[in-house]
Every structure is written in C-alpha cells, then in structure tokens.
Amino acid sequence: MENGNGAGAGDDEYTRDGSVDLRGNPVLRSKRGGWKACSFIVVYELFERMAYYGIASNLVIYLTEKLHQGTVEAANNVTNWSGTVFITPLIGAVVADAWLGRYWTFVAGSAVYLMGMLLLTLAVSVPALKPPACDGGGGTACPRASALQLGVYFGGLYTIALGHGGTKPNISTIGADQFDDFHPPEKLHKLSFFNWWMFTIFLGILFSTTVLVYLQDNLDRRLRHPHWWMFTIFVGILFSSTVLVYLQDNVSWTVGYGIPTLGLMVSVAVFLAGTPLYRHKVPQGSPLATMGKVVASAVWKWRVPLPADSKELHELELEHYTSRRGFRMDATGSMAFLNKAAVKPAAAAAGEGGGSAARMPGWTLCTVTQVEETKQIVKLVPLLATMVVPCTLVAQAGTLFVKQGVTLDRHIGKFHVPPASLGAFVTATMLVCIVLYDRFLVPAVRRRTKNPRGITLLQRISLGMLLQIVTMVVTSVVESQRLRYARRHGLVATGGQLPVTIFILLPQFVLLGVADAFLVVGQIEFFYDQAPESMKSLGTAMSLTAYGAGNLLSSAILAAVERVTGEKGRTPWVTNNLNASRLDYYYAFLATLAAANLLAFVVLSCKYSYRVESTETIDVDVAMDDAQGGVARVKSEADPMA
C-alpha cells in the first residue's frame, strides 16, 4: 500500500486532486501518473485506433464489393454504424461516473470490443459467411448476402460499437487524470496532452489507411508481386514474426481484419501492463441522476421565491469538498430558475404561504454546487448541437470520398492505390499540423494573447469549421470537373472508370486534415475541460456523441437527397453510377449547411462564458535563451472569453 513513509515523504508529495490507487489509497506524485503512466495509455490508443480504422476506413468498399450493396445503402450502413459507435459512449460515461469507475468500465468495454473484432474476422474468413463473388462484375450477377451472412457481419460491427461505448469516453479521461490540476507544472503538461493524444490517434489511423487498406484491397491480386514482400516485412517489423507467419497463411480480407484484431489484443495488454502506474478518480455518482434531481427539484419548487442573498441557498461546508479534493462552486445568476433547487426547506415552506418545512420532500434539496454543475452541462448543449454538422462533413471522407476514388485511375506504374488509402493524407496532414500548432503556433500566439493555449478553444473550433467549408467548396469544384470529363468522354451511361488520376481528390483530403487539426482536437478538449470535475467522462462522451449524431444526420440527409432529387423520374444526385450522379450539387449543399452552422456557432460562442475553475489557467513565459538556462515562470491568468 502506498503510504508515503519513505524518507522525505511528506503530505506535499501526495497528489492534491483526490487521485487514488485501485484500492482507494492516496497516491504519491512520484510513484504514479504523469507522462510515465500516460505512455502506456498513448501506446494503447495507437494500436486501438489502428484496429478500429482498419475496419472503418475500408468498410464502404467491403459492403459494396463483397456484400454487394448499393452505394447509398452501403454509405448509410457505414454512417449508421459509426453513429452508434459514437453514441454508446454516453452509456459508458454514466456507468463509469456512477458505479464502476473509469478503469473497470474501460476493462469491461475492452473485453466486449475484442469479442466483436473476433466475430468480424470470422465473418470475413469463413466462406459460408460470405456471399459468392459476382459472376461477371455486373450488378445483376452479384448475389445478395443472406440473412445469416449479414447477421454475423453486422453482429460483429455492433458488438464493437457496444464495446467502444465502454472504452472511448474513459481512455482519454484516464489519460488526463494522470495530471494534477492542483500542481502547476502538471497542469501545464495537461494543456499539451490532448494535442499529443490526437497525434497518437491519427498515427494509428495513418497505418490503418495505408498498410491495412492495401492488404484488404490488393492482396488477392498481388500475392506474388514484390510489393507484397515489402509490406510483409513492414508488418513483420511492427507485429513480430508471428504475424508474418499469419500473413503467409491467410490473405486478403482475413489478413486485413486479422491484423486489427491482433493490434487490439496488443493494445489491451499494454494498457493492463501500466496498471500499477495509474492514478484513479473515485466515482462521484451518476451525473444524469444529479442533473435530473436538480431539474425535478426546481420544477417542484417553481412557486418558491429565490432569496435576495445567494448565500442563503443550501451548500455544504468547504471542508466537505476539500477533503474530497473537489471544487465548491458559487451561485450564479444564469438560469436562475434552477437555483430554486437549492432553496432550503424552511424558506421554501415560507415562500408557499407558511406551514411546515416538512411539506418539502428531502429529495428536493440540492446544493449550489450540484445546481451549478447542472447549469454547466446545460450550457454545453447548444454548442454540442452545432458540432453535429461538422461531424457530418467528416463522415463523407469514409463514404462518398472513397466511392469517388473508385471511379478514377488508381495506378502508379504497377502499384494499385486503394481508394480508402487517400484517407492517409487526412491523417498525415493532421499529424503535421498538430505538431506545428503545438510547437510553433501556440508559443507565438501566446506571447500576444497571454492565453496558455494561444487562442481559446472555441476560436480553435471555429477555425476548423471555416476550413471545413473551404474543403467542401473545393470538393464540389473538383467533382464538377470530374463529371464534366465523364460527359465529354461518353462515360456517363456505362459508369466506367475515368482515365484521370485518383490524386485529383488529394486537395479535399489534405484540406480536411488541416480542418481536423483545429476542429477535432479543440472539440474533445473543450468538452472535457468545460465539464464539471465530477462529470468528466460525461463531457468526453458529449464530444463523441456529436460524431454519432453527425453520422446519423449524414444517413438522413443522403436518404432524403436521394428521395427528393429522384422524384418525377429524375436521376438522383447520388446513385450507384457516380458518373451519372450530381455529387457536386450534394457537396455544395453540405457547404451551405456548414456555413449556416458556423454562423450559429459564432453567435453562441460570443455568449459563452468559460467554467470558473478552468479560467484559472496557467500562463508560462519561457526564456528564449536556453544557453543561459531559461526558467519557466508560472502564474495564474484569467482566460479571455471566446
């Protein structure tokens, strides 16, 4: 048991944010947490993202070419599944914050996740679980998958979604928990954590959208080609000679799904190996139950007047919070109606015309801190709503962008480029931009703004949204040129492949990567940072829910566009034959929708005020002359509002 009885171990060596070990004992700062503990968590995320995107990045190709689904049906199946993947974290967040804690919820979710990956690998490996290949390549010669085949495959997919709900809202929160907000140097490290966290995520995605997609797309045709040996060597270096033997005995989609499954096994093993180094937070109770209680109490006491002095509202002693290393929040005037939940029974009874305080049930009394925590989550909901459309745009990269690539020339000499591999340019661009942002842009801007993040989180998100609009405009223009070429060369009716390089799509992938560097990182950090201390998992889950809702919205929009534009016998904007479609109109519509959404986001951002504790951030001025031993100066500084 860690008790700090070693030489020189005083109370100041313990963490001050209430962190404990798995047995509930206080932890020494020197023994647990920090970047040492985070290294295991980051390595887990690297392999897990490789596993997830090894499935997701090429999913639309498998559904259309192996399960023989149409373009719209396959795209909607992809976004429906992705939507579920990012909505289930709400369940995991509630379970973690209320009962199991983040660590054990994560472990349980990992077990379910791994079961789904194994089932999915089985579905693509056993011949009886796959429909026969197309006889002649035409749509009528492609037999549909049976109910059993679809059931096993989609059963694996949605088992992954369920497991993802336990892992995703907790892993990044566990990582952030390794830094003590009450210790200035550690709080400073935490400011960079999410940048490097996302860097690791997209490094894993980069591998999955290059090596794994290549194996899935090309291995059947190129088993005897020298490129096979180069990729086998690369994979062998990464996963050891065991995987090399596996690759030699199993090919194509079996290999492409088997590697992610092995990667997930490795990632879980790495995470568990770091258990002795982790700091943990004790579950604080269900955040949804707390918020429900506050709202119900305020409604119950709707006729009760508020006291003139907010200090007359119910609150616990400061020692109650300090003993738990928590925050006590002061009452605010925003959403004043909810303050009624903290009116004391005697005052409430008097406000209703006298009588006994016993008339008020005990459950109707909440603390000011509970009320303010509820307000903070409610304040995030409008901004969360404006995150849905940007996430809808992100979903296009894994669906229609990929299908565009199928219509183009994918050869570089003898090398065959899988369409889904262009997603690697999103990832690579984002990796570069994150490094440039964290190492160069933030220090330069910080000197002018005095904000430790350089710019506020909402400003970062808005820049990402603006870049997304530019991306969709460029995508619409490129698609218009592609369609013009198809018409000029008589390839509309046949739907044949255009003799135009697939790399004409490169600008839209690169621009989306730049946008993600601002939007994706800013979004996850914003919802984590602005959630109350007792609801961090819920805050992370909220950011993921936007992706879920965005994917579901993508399905709804695509289905509606197909139906509306196909009325009266007209050709829909999106059909199986993309040469006869009008994807340029569809992308222009998404750009217009994104512009309207950005306007709403800016209006809401201007009215938003940051959480009180998070405004006491750390500002650091580093001496430029390292040769003279530059020293960091740490001070408290109020964050400028968005």
Side-chain angles (χ1 to χ4, degrees), residues 172-472:
S172 60
T173 310
I174 292 172
D177 286 346
Q178 305 311 306
F179 302 98
D180 186 352
D181 276 334
F182 292 86
H183 188 254
E186 288 196 10
K187 185 174 177 68
L188 179 61
H189 291 311
K190 192 173 183 177
L191 295 179
S192 290
F193 169 75
F194 284 100
N195 281 332
W196 293 107
W197 177 256
M198 295 306 298
F199 180 90
T200 302
I201 288 175
F202 281 88
L203 194 62
I205 297 172
L206 180 62
F207 177 79
S208 64
T209 53
T210 51
V211 176
L212 295 186
V213 169
Y214 179 84
L215 293 176
Q216 293 167 353
D217 206 56
N218 292 281
L219 212 50
D220 278 335
R221 295 189 299 272
R222 297 179 177 269
L223 193 57
R224 297 179 180 85
H225 195 276
H227 288 306
W228 153 247
W229 295 109
M230 290 189 291
F231 276 92
T232 301
I233 291 171
F234 180 72
V235 174
I237 294 173
L238 189 63
F239 288 110
S240 81
S241 59
T242 303
V243 180
L244 178 58
V245 172
Y246 183 87
L247 293 176
Q248 292 170 340
D249 293 340
N250 303 274
V251 297
S252 193
W253 289 92
T254 300
V255 172
Y257 278 40
I259 293 175
T261 302
L262 288 174
L264 184 63
M265 291 179 181
V266 170
S267 69
V268 173
V270 169
F271 176 84
L272 294 176
T275 298
L277 298 175
Y278 300 148
R279 300 174 186 174
H280 305 277
K281 296 292 181 67
V282 178
Q284 300 293 315
S286 171
L288 296 182
T290 299
M291 292 188 293
K293 177 184 175 183
V294 169
V295 173
S297 177
V299 172
W300 185 277
K301 295 187 283 190
W302 68 277
R303 291 184 298 178
V304 175
L306 289 169
D309 188 354
S310 62
K311 293 182 180 179
E312 296 180 18
L313 297 173
H314 174 63
E315 183 56 282
L316 301 175
E317 294 296 327
L318 182 61
E319 288 73 16
H320 172 82
Y321 296 98
T322 56
S323 64
R324 291 166 172 77
R325 299 296 190 266
F327 291 96
R328 188 176 77 171
M329 303 177 69
D330 295 329
T332 63
S334 64
M335 290 179 268
F337 175 79
L338 292 179
N339 289 347
K340 293 177 183 288
V343 175
K344 297 177 181 178
E352 289 193 334
S356 173
R359 292 174 55 190
M360 289 292 167
W363 65 264
T364 63
L365 183 61
C366 303
T367 65
V368 169
T369 296
Q370 289 175 323
V371 172
E372 293 303 318
E373 287 177 339
T374 300
K375 289 180 183 179
Q376 191 60 41
I377 293 295
V378 172
K379 283 169 56 181
L380 293 176
V381 172
L383 288 168
L384 177 64
T386 63
M387 301 295 171
V388 175
V389 170
C391 294
T392 297
L393 270 57
V394 171
Q396 309 311 308
T399 53
L400 295 180
F401 281 18
V402 176
K403 292 300 293 181
Q404 278 180 280
V406 174
T407 69
L408 299 168
D409 181 12
R410 292 173 277 162
H411 291 86
I412 303 178
K414 295 182 179 180
F415 187 81
H416 189 265
V417 179
S421 282
L422 286 190
F425 288 98
V426 176
T427 306
T429 303
M430 185 174 182
L431 291 176
V432 172
C433 289
I434 286 176
V435 174
L436 295 177
Y437 183 89
D438 190 77
R439 291 304 182 190
F440 299 101
L441 182 61
V442 170
V445 177
R446 185 167 55 201
R447 296 189 191 99
R448 299 176 62 88
T449 64
K450 306 304 179 184
N451 186 309
R453 291 187 174 94
I455 57 177
T456 67
L457 292 173
L458 292 177
Q459 289 170 343
R460 181 174 185 172
I461 293 171
S462 65
L463 284 174
M465 289 182 176
L466 180 61
L467 288 168
Q468 275 195 335
I469 296 172
V470 174
T471 300
M472 298 313 296

Side-chain angles (χ1 to χ4, degrees), residues 64-65 67-69 131-145:
T64 54
E65 296 187 0
L67 295 186
H68 310 146
Q69 295 184 346
C134 299
D135 293 335
T140 57
C142 296
R144 300 283 292 180

Side-chain angles (χ1 to χ4, degrees), residues 35-213:
W35 283 113
K36 184 177 181 180
C38 274
S39 62
F40 289 88
I41 299 170
V42 166
V43 170
Y44 161 84
E45 191 68 7
L46 173 65
F47 281 95
E48 187 277 330
R49 288 292 84 187
M50 180 274 292
Y52 173 80
Y53 281 97
I55 303 300
S57 60
N58 220 19
L59 183 56
V60 71
I61 298 297
Y62 188 86
L63 295 180
T64 54
E65 296 187 0
K66 300 300 180 181
L67 295 186
H68 310 146
Q69 295 184 346
T71 298
V72 174
E73 181 186 9
N76 283 345
N77 276 330
V78 171
T79 50
N80 286 338
W81 172 69
S82 297
T84 305
V85 163
F86 288 110
I87 285 178
T88 53
L90 277 177
I91 301 173
V94 172
V95 171
D97 285 339
W99 297 292
L100 295 183
R102 292 159 190 164
Y103 179 87
W104 290 115
T105 303
F106 172 85
V107 171
S110 295
V112 176
Y113 195 160
L114 188 55
M115 289 172 56
M117 292 291 291
L118 291 170
L119 183 58
L120 207 58
T121 303
L122 185 69
V124 302
S125 303
V126 178
L129 297 178
K130 298 180 289 185
C134 299
D135 293 335
T140 57
C142 296
R144 300 283 292 180
S146 68
L148 174 63
Q149 292 163 345
L150 291 175
V152 173
Y153 188 82
F154 282 97
L157 282 179
Y158 281 91
T159 300
I160 289 173
L162 182 61
H164 195 266
T167 61
K168 198 58 182 174
N170 294 301
I171 185 62
S172 60
T173 310
I174 292 172
D177 286 346
Q178 305 311 306
F179 302 98
D180 186 352
D181 276 334
F182 292 86
H183 188 254
E186 288 196 10
K187 185 174 177 68
L188 179 61
H189 291 311
K190 192 173 183 177
L191 295 179
S192 290
F193 169 75
F194 284 100
N195 281 332
W196 293 107
W197 177 256
M198 295 306 298
F199 180 90
T200 302
I201 288 175
F202 281 88
L203 194 62
I205 297 172
L206 180 62
F207 177 79
S208 64
T209 53
T210 51
V211 176
L212 295 186
V213 169

